[in-house]
Amino acid sequence: MIADLVTIDAWVLAPVLAPALGALLVLVLDVLAPKARGSHLPLALIALGAGLGALPYAVTADSPARTLCLPAPQGRCLYEVEPWGLGLQLIILAGALIVLLMLGPGTRQLDDVQRGGPAVTVSLVLAATAGAAMLPATRDLPTWLVAIELATLPAIALVALSRGRGAEGGALSLLMVSLTSFALLAIGIALWVLATGDATFSADTVRAAVEDTDRHRVLLLSILFLLAGVGFKLSAVPFHTWTPQAFAVADEAISAYLATVSKAAALGGAIVLLSPLVVLTGAGSDDGFSIRLVIGVLALASMTLGNLVALRAEDPLRLLAWSTIAQAGWVLAPLAMLTSISVAAATGYLLVYAVGSLAVFAVAAAVHSGAEGAGERRLTAYAGLARRAPLLALVLGLGLLTLAGLPPAVVGVVAKVVALGPVVDAGLWWLVGAMIVNIVLGIAVYLRWLLVVIRPADPEAGLTRLRLDPGLRVAIALAGLAVVLLSVAPGLAFGLVR
Amino acid sequence: MGLILIALLLPGLVGATLILLSHRVGSRTAVGVALLATLGALTATVAAVATHARIDRPWAGEIGLGWIFESDMISAPLLVLTAGISVLVVLHGLRHAPTGGTPGLYYGLLLLIEFGALSTFWTRDLIVFFIAFEIVLVPMWVLIHRFGDDHDPAARRAAALRFVLYTALGSSIMLAGILAIVTQVGSSDMRAILAAPPQHSQMLIATLLVLGLGVKVPLWPVHSWLPPAHTIAPTAGSVLLAAILLKMGTYGLIRVPLTLTPDGFARIAPLLATLGVVGIIWGGLICLVERDLKRLIAYSSVAHMGFVALALGTNSELGLRAALIANLAHGVISALLFFVVGSLKERWGSVDLAVVRPALRETWPGLGFAVMVGLAASLGLPGLAGFWGEFLAIAAAWNPAGGGTALAVAQSQVSGGSWVVWAAEGAVSTELAFRGLAIVAALGAVLAAAYSLRVAKVIWMGDAAPRDRAGDLSWVELVIVAALILAILALGLFPYAVLPSASGPAVLS
């Protein structure tokens, strides 16, 4: 019956279905066997692994891989995975996998940092991941909005359930921001439908709308609202205020989730929104210029403010929060050029950023778990790490250098090159100048941390043994290996997304 | 191709391994392994250069990067210089055990810097050139920060950070220029760019490239990272900075803006020459009054690199030759001076020229001789390495159109063409201004003589009563000093052995 209405290719949908089914299974298991607390995490890992395992199918299928297609003559597909979407799904699923590893595999550590029990935490992570994985593949406005909210609301719940002091406050601020963003998106979508008469992101209807003066104005207004709404999710300045608050209260694993998976989802949403607008950016088009200007200014403000505040941060998590704001600017800058190369550049940059961030967050989780007084997270806790735990220091160093864009983390350098390319190509020299300054500011931010790591430890302090759970060990090893592998063969990261 | 891989991977991999295992490796093992690695790299480099070995294969083909490594007469001397100086720097550690960290870390960092410099000089892919350019940053930062002068930790941290941030700013500006070329041409392979140079905004691109590379050279007024970094770095770090890292800047100027955006470069070349001359005078004047000998040598580097910039700024064939020889000469002379000053600092505790000390010629004649050779070469005594570069630079500025353009030589190198020197074209119209620059630069050479003689008078003659003569050059120092003095003599007597030209010295024709 349904098959007559739409085509369904379960393999193409698997990256979304697997975590969603996993979330359901975890909840069902919790009802049927409340004692089996230890089996939730492995189940979730299997679900994410299955999602990851299905990704190659979409690579070998026709590009872009499509499903949920309406019958001819309309024949439009509601689910399309282009190479950049595939790259984002990879980041999203792998990022969620590493976050879950950081929380497990035993339930002891999970109970230390999250309230509500493993079933709740795990199913929230999986649900948010399903929404995130859906987002880059959506092609119609309602599904797009639902996917954004599905990716966001469970993440807010995760922050609210953290055991950190002031978690409710952080979650409340995140919730308020999300509601605002939801309102903006809803208005934006309404205006979009008004302007184009179409509830899908289609270049054809956008072109038609541009030709009519009134509908053109409505469309521009709609784009402004939608961009603002997505800006919240990306934590770009001036929509960034929730980020430091949430990171300050949440556990490292949950912060890592917000910094990588949620950001990848937000980028997916932004690209889906911007893709049909390419028709606006023809030579001499005022609209293309305005959109570039708006996104470019957002990028400039994000990277500059983020780096400047991160320079002063003493709490490593606050530093990372501001650094993700700065990095959001780096993702937005190439995206502002609205070309297919710039989409690949933004996605490739995000991929590298996510790998580097996961390495840093994973080591941070290990170091902070060893610190006495969990509330006190200070950079000084890293003093002498290079001597105490050389391998941890190595992974942390590689992660920080990836974010800073310095060798030996070659992939970080290549990411900066790739992000700068489209902006230079478009000749936006004011933005190029800002990016150059921010390369230097970023180096100052991350070297400040690295400086502490290579500093000899104070004789009396820093002798606490680091307690590393097996899951965390695996997470650190995976993230470190990913940086090394991508540094030797950076083409892997960037070839995937174009 | 195997030779290049050995020359690059030996220092790279051994260096990384030493750092990773730095807590398990003893001092003797570390220095032994490092010495073997640098000697192996030197042998492989010389062999690769002699046999014109080359590598050309895709690396990250998805984004158009290639592993294209090839040497020519512009890069070959610098490759050998890098590999040779690296051996001496490691050798130096045999007597002066590093303080501030484990030996494994120290030698690992030295090897990584060698790896980065060799990659920079060898690659023919612009983006890979940028990446290689950045490789030296973190190792040098750690080297200055951990192993630098231990009198003042805050100053050490500041000097190390200033070095990184300044040079990263420079290379990021250079990256913008490189990307402007690459996005226009659609390839980062230098040969492809040479075949179809960028058509638009060459002026802007060349400005970005010269500005960015100028930080590394260093060009006045973006030189201010250099004195603290050189002064505070350990001896090995100062030597590597002066002899190799600065050369990456001038090499980049020749390889990228001069060759790939010739029209743009020709238009801003007079500015480059002017900044170079300002640097000559600026550095010379500071050297006249500077009290700290190590800092003085650092400022003299600014002056010497000013000569290189002036030579390049003439945009003539003679100027290019002057730049190449001055570049090499500064490499060996500054290495000798920093080694000797490091030895003096170790013996005296400081190298403050205001402290009255016994005459070096009486206490330690060996060290005294080395200092004198270094100073004499530095002031441009004929017969020593320093003479040719500065003499030819002034000559080139006096007669900027003299004998072909720099572009012809530099481009024939990249395209693998013959050594034919094309006839003079694009002669600089501002001939008179260049004559003025030549005169000022000549005055700068006089300043160099003045401060060199001042230093010689203070430390070689000395006023305090002589002490016992124990503690002159150890055998390690003797080997290092002898090797460098030989190189200085060789460059002074046979300068044309290292220059990309078959024609003789057509000076002042």
Side-chain angles (χ1 to χ4, degrees):
Chain A
M1 179 65 192
I2 289 180
D4 294 341
L5 292 177
V6 293
T7 63
I8 296 179
D9 187 337
W11 283 107
V12 174
L13 282 173
V16 182
L17 289 180
L21 283 177
L24 273 180
L25 277 178
V26 166
L27 289 177
V28 169
L29 182 72
D30 192 44
V31 172
L32 295 181
K35 295 267 168 62
R37 290 162 52 84
S39 52
H40 301 313
L41 266 171
L43 191 62
L45 294 178
I46 292 171
L48 290 173
L52 281 170
L55 281 180
Y57 177 81
V59 178
T60 49
D62 301 337
S63 182
R66 295 191 166 100
T67 186
L68 303 186
C69 296
L70 302 171
Q74 243 193 330
R76 191 175 291 158
C77 296
L78 302 180
Y79 184 103
E80 278 186 23
V81 202
E82 287 179 60
W84 59 263
L86 209 63
L88 286 179
Q89 286 185 335
L90 174 67
I91 304 170
I92 287 163
L93 294 174
L97 190 84
I98 290 197
V99 165
L100 283 181
L101 281 173
M102 283 167 71
L103 284 168
T107 53
R108 180 175 47 86
Q109 201 209 341
L110 202 154
D111 282 335
D112 281 352
V113 296
Q114 290 292 113
R115 288 171 293 183
V120 172
T121 303
V122 166
S123 58
L124 283 174
V125 169
L126 286 176
T129 307
M134 181 73 196
L135 195 46
T138 54
R139 289 295 178 272
D140 62 310
L141 293 147
T143 319
W144 185 71
L145 189 58
V146 169
I148 285 188
E149 294 312 314
L150 181 56
T152 309
L153 292 174
I156 300 175
L158 284 171
V159 174
L161 290 174
S162 327
R163 287 203 190 274
R165 208 177 305 141
E168 293 86 353
L172 197 63
S173 124
L174 189 49
L175 183 66
M176 294 311 295
V177 166
S178 289
L179 289 179
T180 317
S181 133
F182 178 77
L184 289 172
L185 290 174
I187 297 173
I189 285 178
L191 291 173
W192 182 289
V193 174
L194 189 66
T196 63
D198 183 14
T200 61
F201 292 104
S202 155
D204 296 338
T205 50
V206 166
R207 194 178 289 119
V210 171
E211 280 159 12
D212 181 313
T213 323
D214 289 339
R215 288 164 65 194
H216 184 192
R217 284 197 197 127
V218 177
L219 181 68
L220 286 184
L221 195 60
S222 146
I223 293 170
L224 217 56
F225 274 104
L226 292 175
L227 274 181
V230 171
F232 278 112
K233 310 292 179 190
L234 261 177
S235 68
V237 172
F239 315 110
H240 63 283
T241 43
W242 60 272
T243 316
Q245 286 171 335
F247 279 38
V249 297
D251 177 57
E252 285 80 10
I254 305 303
S255 300
Y257 190 88
L258 293 175
T260 56
V261 179
S262 297
K263 192 156 294 205
L267 175 64
I271 296 177
V272 169
L273 163 66
L274 292 174
S275 294
L277 303 184
V278 173
V279 293
L280 295 179
T281 60
S285 147
D286 286 347
D287 290 347
F289 175 78
S290 315
I291 294 175
R292 269 184 198 175
L293 187 69
V294 168
I295 303 182
V297 168
L298 286 185
L300 188 160
S302 298
M303 55 176 81
T304 312
L305 187 71
N307 276 330
L308 285 179
V309 181
L311 259 180
R312 309 286 307 164
E314 281 302 325
D315 174 352
L317 265 284
R318 276 186 70 83
L319 190 156
L320 282 171
W322 286 100
S323 117
T324 66
I325 294 170
Q327 302 280 355
W330 275 92
V331 173
L332 276 176
L335 198 60
M337 304 309 124
L338 297 176
T339 60
S340 63
I341 295 289
S342 72
V343 167
T347 316
Y349 187 91
L350 187 96
L351 205 158
V352 174
Y353 151 80
V355 170
S357 295
L358 285 171
V360 174
F361 273 107
V363 177
V367 172
H368 297 160
S369 74
E372 289 131 62
E376 287 291 302
R377 298 189 288 208
R378 305 197 70 80
L379 276 184
T380 45
Y382 292 81
L385 190 68
R387 182 65 58 90
R388 268 191 297 162
L391 280 177
L392 279 188
L394 177 73
V395 174
L396 178 64
L398 283 176
L400 289 173
L401 289 176
T402 305
L403 296 178
L406 280 180
V410 172
V411 68
V413 192
V414 178
K416 290 278 190 291
V417 173
V418 166
L420 201 52
V423 188
V424 171
D425 194 23
L428 243 65
W429 293 107
W430 56 273
L431 189 53
V432 172
M435 291 169 88
I436 289 173
V437 171
N438 274 289
I439 289 181
V440 179
L441 282 179
I443 289 176
V445 167
Y446 300 110
L447 284 192
R448 184 167 153 254
W449 190 339
L450 199 56
L451 192 67
V452 184
V453 175
I454 62 168
R455 194 165 73 194
D458 303 330
E460 64 269 22
L463 291 171
T464 39
R465 287 279 299 165
L466 293 180
R467 177 174 56 99
L468 260 70
D469 292 290
L472 192 52
R473 276 173 203 272
V474 177
I476 293 172
L478 282 179
L481 281 178
V483 176
V484 172
L485 178 70
L486 290 180
S487 286
V488 175
L492 288 180
F494 301 96
L496 186 71
V497 295
R498 68 176 62 194
Chain B
M1 110 166 224
L3 287 170
I4 298 182
L5 273 186
I6 293 173
L8 288 177
L9 291 184
L10 206 56
L13 290 181
V14 173
T17 315
L18 278 178
I19 290 175
L20 287 182
L21 301 179
S22 63
H23 297 285
R24 314 245 171 93
V25 185
S27 177
R28 296 170 67 99
T29 325
V31 72
V33 170
L35 198 55
L36 284 179
T38 48
L39 282 173
L42 176 63
T43 318
T45 303
V46 171
V49 165
T51 58
H52 296 288
R54 57 197 298 271
I55 297 180
D56 188 355
R57 53 176 48 207
W59 169 36
E62 297 84 348
I63 42 174
L65 301 189
W67 265 340
I68 312 169
F69 294 104
E70 195 176 352
S71 62
D72 56 29
M73 282 302 284
I74 292 175
S75 55
L78 291 170
L79 286 167
V80 176
L81 174 78
T82 303
I85 294 284
S86 300
V87 174
L88 299 185
V89 158
V90 171
L91 201 61
H92 180 258
L94 271 182
R95 184 165 184 280
H96 307 260
T99 54
T102 58
L105 179 62
Y106 178 79
Y107 294 109
L109 294 172
L110 297 183
L111 288 174
L112 284 189
I113 294 171
E114 180 187 8
F115 168 66
L118 286 177
S119 318
T120 308
F121 293 136
W122 235 318
T123 183
R124 288 300 175 80
D125 184 296
L126 271 185
I127 304 276
V128 176
F129 173 79
F130 167 74
I131 296 173
F133 210 78
E134 299 281 78
I135 288 179
V136 296
L137 284 188
V138 171
M140 188 50 96
W141 173 67
V142 179
L143 194 67
I144 298 176
H145 182 264
R146 286 297 298 276
F147 296 93
D149 191 338
D150 50 8
H151 287 99
D152 186 356
R156 212 172 56 202
R157 198 165 59 224
L161 197 61
R162 190 192 278 208
F163 160 75
V164 172
L165 297 185
Y166 246 95
T167 45
L169 178 66
S171 45
S172 303
I173 296 173
M174 172 183 85
L175 174 64
I178 287 180
L179 283 173
I181 296 180
V182 171
T183 50
Q184 266 192 48
V185 178
S187 166
S188 56
D189 184 340
M190 288 187 196
R191 295 163 301 185
I193 298 167
L194 194 61
Q199 300 299 316
H200 312 293
S201 48
Q202 275 213 7
M203 172 88 177
L204 173 73
I205 298 174
T207 309
L208 286 171
L209 290 169
V210 169
L211 193 67
L213 287 159
V215 175
K216 196 88 161 191
V217 170
L219 218 55
W220 185 89
V222 283
H223 65 282
S224 62
W225 62 270
L226 181 140
H230 277 64
T231 312
I232 289 178
T235 299
S238 309
V239 171
L240 286 177
L241 269 171
I244 300 177
L245 263 60
L246 304 191
K247 307 301 164 287
M248 290 161 59
T250 41
Y251 172 78
L253 282 177
I254 296 171
R255 193 58 98 195
V256 190
L258 191 150
T259 310
L260 300 181
T261 55
D263 299 340
F265 183 79
R267 288 171 68 186
I268 60 164
L271 180 68
L272 177 66
T274 312
L275 292 181
V277 170
V278 176
I280 294 172
I281 299 296
W282 189 275
L285 287 177
I286 290 180
C287 284
L288 276 182
V289 294
E290 178 59 55
R291 279 175 47 173
D292 184 296
L293 184 53
K294 211 171 171 189
R295 220 178 161 76
L296 189 149
I297 307 290
Y299 271 110
S300 82
S301 281
V302 175
H304 287 301
M305 297 317 276
F307 274 104
V308 180
L310 168 66
L312 286 177
T314 64
N315 199 23
S316 63
E317 188 218 326
L318 186 61
L320 177 65
R321 285 192 209 159
L324 290 172
I325 186 87
N327 220 10
L328 275 181
H330 177 258
V332 285
I333 296 171
S334 63
L336 176 66
L337 283 172
F338 274 117
F339 269 126
V340 176
V341 170
S343 299
L344 287 176
K345 190 169 184 177
E346 191 203 348
R347 287 169 171 78
W348 285 342
S350 87
V351 280
D352 189 343
L353 290 177
V355 176
V356 180
R357 295 194 172 86
L360 211 52
R361 72 196 146 103
E362 297 197 354
T363 37
W364 300 313
L367 264 174
F369 177 71
V371 170
M372 289 310 285
V373 173
L375 289 173
S378 177
L379 69 79
L381 198 71
L384 297 179
F387 169 71
W388 290 106
E390 301 190 357
F391 176 59
L392 291 180
I394 293 171
W398 189 258
N399 190 8
T405 60
L407 174 67
V409 177
Q411 288 197 339
S412 73
Q413 291 291 314
V414 172
S415 59
S418 62
W419 304 118
V420 176
V421 176
W422 285 300
E425 55 172 335
V428 183
S429 58
T430 51
E431 193 175 324
L432 204 62
F434 266 104
R435 296 213 160 171
L437 288 179
I439 292 170
V440 180
L443 286 179
V446 175
L447 279 182
Y451 67 72
S452 297
L453 293 176
R454 163 179 169 248
V455 172
K457 177 176 166 292
V458 171
I459 65 173
W460 199 55
M461 316 272 267
D463 283 332
R467 291 187 302 208
D468 72 291
R469 301 178 51 165
D472 200 359
L473 291 174
S474 67
W475 71 266
V476 171
E477 287 169 325
L478 194 65
V479 171
I480 295 173
V481 163
L484 287 171
I485 289 180
L486 280 179
I488 289 175
L489 274 173
L491 275 178
L493 296 176
F494 313 106
Y496 280 87
V498 294
L499 287 183
S501 169
S503 59
V507 184
L508 289 178
S509 57

